[in-house]
Amino acid sequence: MKLILKVVVGAVALLIAEAMISGLQFTDDAWSAPWFGTLVLVALIFGVVNAVLRPIIKTIGCAAYALTLGLIALVVNGALLWLTGWICEQLGIGFRVENFWPSAVLGALVIGLVSWLLNMFIKK
């Protein structure tokens, strides 16, 4: 159940980020069954990319996090979103991130904020 909630939160955050940031695009028709499946699939891929790579990057880049007081996390999150867009393009999934700055970085910021807000309302 917890995994399903995380995927739903990620999907809603991606949906809001796609609506706010012009460089994030779902290429399937809006509100159709394939589009909803694409949204959930992209949320799953983004979750796996974050779960696998973020701890490695934080460990290796510990000094950068300390030196920038954590602001490098915006760049890292943007890079992970950009990587998710690249993976989706390679797999033929209808999601793309146009460029790193500003699309990926601002998209990751919006996704992070929306996820944080939604997780505040979910009971543990």
Side-chain angles (χ1 to χ4, degrees):
M1 185 68 175
K2 188 175 179 182
L3 178 65
I4 293 171
L5 281 175
K6 283 187 176 192
V7 171
V8 169
V9 166
V12 170
L14 274 166
L15 179 65
I16 292 172
E18 190 260 345
M20 293 178 68
I21 309 296
S22 62
L24 302 178
Q25 297 175 346
F26 286 100
T27 56
D28 293 332
D29 293 332
W31 303 108
S32 64
W35 176 82
F36 181 74
T38 300
L39 178 66
V40 171
L41 193 57
V42 171
L44 281 170
I45 292 171
F46 189 53
V48 169
V49 167
N50 276 324
V52 172
L53 293 179
R54 185 177 297 201
I56 297 168
I57 294 170
K58 278 188 173 183
T59 302
I60 293 171
C62 183
Y65 277 87
L67 186 64
T68 63
L69 302 175
L71 290 177
I72 193 73
L74 291 173
V75 175
V76 169
N77 290 342
L80 294 175
L81 182 61
W82 199 28
L83 177 63
T84 301
W86 181 81
I87 291 170
C88 289
E89 285 182 10
Q90 298 305 310
L91 296 175
I93 299 169
F95 177 72
R96 63 182 285 238
V97 180
E98 284 186 13
N99 47 23
F100 180 73
W101 175 259
S103 300
V105 174
L106 292 179
L109 180 64
V110 170
I111 290 169
L113 288 174
V114 170
S115 296
W116 174 72
L117 283 172
L118 290 176
N119 283 322
M120 285 179 50
F121 296 107
I122 296 174
K123 295 180 181 179
K124 296 289 178 184

